[in-house]
Amino acid sequence: MQQDRYEIYHQEETSFQLVHSYSCWQQVVQWAFELELNKKQKWYVVDIHADDNCEDVFQIDAFGLLKPTGHCAGSFYEQVRLLSLPALTLEGVIEPLGLTDGVTILKPLAEASYEIQVLNGNDGMSTFAAESSLLEAPFQRQYQSDNDVALLVYCNDELIATALFSRYIEDHRFPFHSSELCYELSLHTVYVLPQYRSLGIATCLANSIVNIARKDMLNLHHVLQGKIRLKPWFSALALTPGGEAICDILSEAFVEMNDDIIEELMDEGMAISYQDPVIFVEGMA
């Protein structure tokens, strides 16, 4: 079945919900005209088959009229996505452990629920906390199966450490700022069993997370090619005093990584404007 050309989205705070779709523009116009609107509601129409460089996102105003937002279709948007976890593994992003018989595995968080439950009973281990809603960014993220990630460390077939984090790219159809897209790395938990601490495992996990962000951002910069600036974000929720130290290490490494990428791309001759990272670390300890 052919997909309808026009999709209608309703904005609820920072999220956008697909509500209707139509095959003809006349149907969209009629629907918008009959829509009961108030000032707090925002509705958008997306033309998913618009030609390159043609306007493809429209907002329905208070009178039911459709106004272009200034967003134009572009084939390069099809490549604005995060690298897959298998691709990242092949790129060698996982930092080597200074631990005999130690191995680190990268997988989607949804596939690591059993492993996380194994550690969850340990004192000091926290997975996604309710307070993590405090870290919601003011932009709509694109969700993919590889957004929520688990780094799992094993030693002699025993799970001894984990790092849980998420990575997002902003939905280009509804950008917070029209001239830029946001890439966000959000740290949730780093945990190492007590008997394996002070061996550098947490540092290796932190380095692996920064390596993943570096690969993501380099790929996105090359896709965007300076047409739209990439705005980097780092957010973290520190639930314990030890967690605060890891958050500080990661936030500093994230800033340094962004500096290195910008310098590297400028040396390659790419037209790119520097974007200061946004750092948002919340301490709950």
Side-chain angles (χ1 to χ4, degrees):
M1 182 179 294
Q2 186 175 3
Q3 186 177 8
D4 288 335
R5 174 168 181 168
Y6 303 101
E7 296 180 342
I8 298 176
Y9 290 83
H10 179 222
Q11 181 177 353
E12 298 178 359
E13 295 182 352
T14 61
S15 66
F16 293 79
Q17 303 298 324
L18 176 62
V19 178
H20 298 292
S21 64
Y22 293 102
S23 59
C24 299
W25 181 253
Q26 291 85 349
Q27 293 174 304
V28 176
V29 173
Q30 181 65 31
W31 182 89
F33 181 74
E34 296 175 353
L35 182 65
E36 294 183 5
L37 294 166
N38 63 53
K39 293 181 179 179
K40 294 183 179 180
Q41 291 182 329
K42 291 185 179 180
W43 297 83
Y44 295 87
V45 178
V46 178
D47 179 357
I48 63 173
H49 295 310
D51 294 331
D52 274 12
N53 300 318
C54 291
E55 293 171 334
D56 65 339
V57 181
F58 305 83
Q59 184 173 2
I60 303 174
D61 69 13
F63 301 99
L65 302 177
L66 282 79
K67 305 291 184 180
T69 63
H71 186 278
C72 292
S75 56
F76 73 96
Y77 280 126
E78 297 175 6
Q79 304 301 318
V80 180
R81 61 171 62 92
L82 303 177
L83 294 171
S84 68
L85 298 191
L88 287 169
T89 301
L90 289 174
E91 289 279 357
V93 296
I94 297 176
E95 195 82 4
L97 292 166
L99 184 67
T100 304
D101 298 323
V103 62
T104 305
I105 296 175
L106 176 67
K107 63 168 54 178
L109 182 61
E111 297 177 11
S113 58
Y114 172 76
E115 291 91 337
I116 300 306
Q117 288 175 7
V118 170
L119 285 183
N120 200 35
N122 289 281
D123 184 33
M125 170 63 184
S126 298
T127 56
F128 292 96
E131 293 88 347
S132 64
S133 61
L134 296 172
L135 302 178
E136 285 293 320
F139 50 81
Q140 169 71 0
R141 298 145 163 158
Q142 284 189 5
Y143 288 94
Q144 300 167 231
S145 59
D146 288 354
N147 278 142
D148 300 318
V149 184
L151 278 168
L152 306 171
V153 180
Y154 293 87
C155 184
N156 297 320
D157 296 325
E158 177 190 8
L159 181 62
I160 64 170
T162 188
L164 311 180
F165 62 100
S166 297
R167 58 204 184 103
Y168 308 94
I169 181 66
E170 186 179 8
D171 191 328
H172 64 84
R173 298 168 303 173
F174 312 108
F176 191 60
H177 295 295
S178 60
S179 62
E180 63 189 31
L181 288 180
C182 293
Y183 169 82
E184 180 185 5
L185 180 70
S186 182
L187 176 69
H188 304 296
T189 296
V190 176
Y191 179 77
V192 181
L193 286 177
Q195 60 268 37
Y196 289 95
R197 292 173 186 170
S198 302
L199 298 175
I201 295 175
T203 300
C204 287
L205 289 172
N207 290 339
S208 296
I209 293 171
V210 173
N211 291 343
I212 290 169
R214 176 181 174 82
K215 292 294 183 181
D216 274 340
M217 291 180 62
L218 272 174
N219 177 65
L220 290 167
H221 274 300
H222 279 102
V223 169
L224 296 172
Q225 287 287 342
K227 298 173 185 176
I228 298 175
R229 293 175 296 177
L230 188 65
K231 183 76 171 181
W233 283 61
F234 174 78
S235 63
L237 183 64
L239 299 175
T240 65
E244 289 181 347
I246 290 293
C247 289
D248 289 341
I249 291 171
L250 267 168
S251 60
E252 291 175 6
F254 189 80
V255 172
E256 292 176 2
M257 177 268 295
N258 183 66
D259 293 344
D260 291 342
I261 286 178
I262 297 298
E263 184 176 349
E264 180 180 328
L265 294 177
M266 292 182 71
D267 287 344
E268 292 177 6
M270 184 179 292
I272 187 168
S273 59
Y274 183 79
Q275 290 285 283
D276 284 316
V278 176
I279 305 297
F280 184 15
V281 175
E282 183 78 11
M284 303 298 293

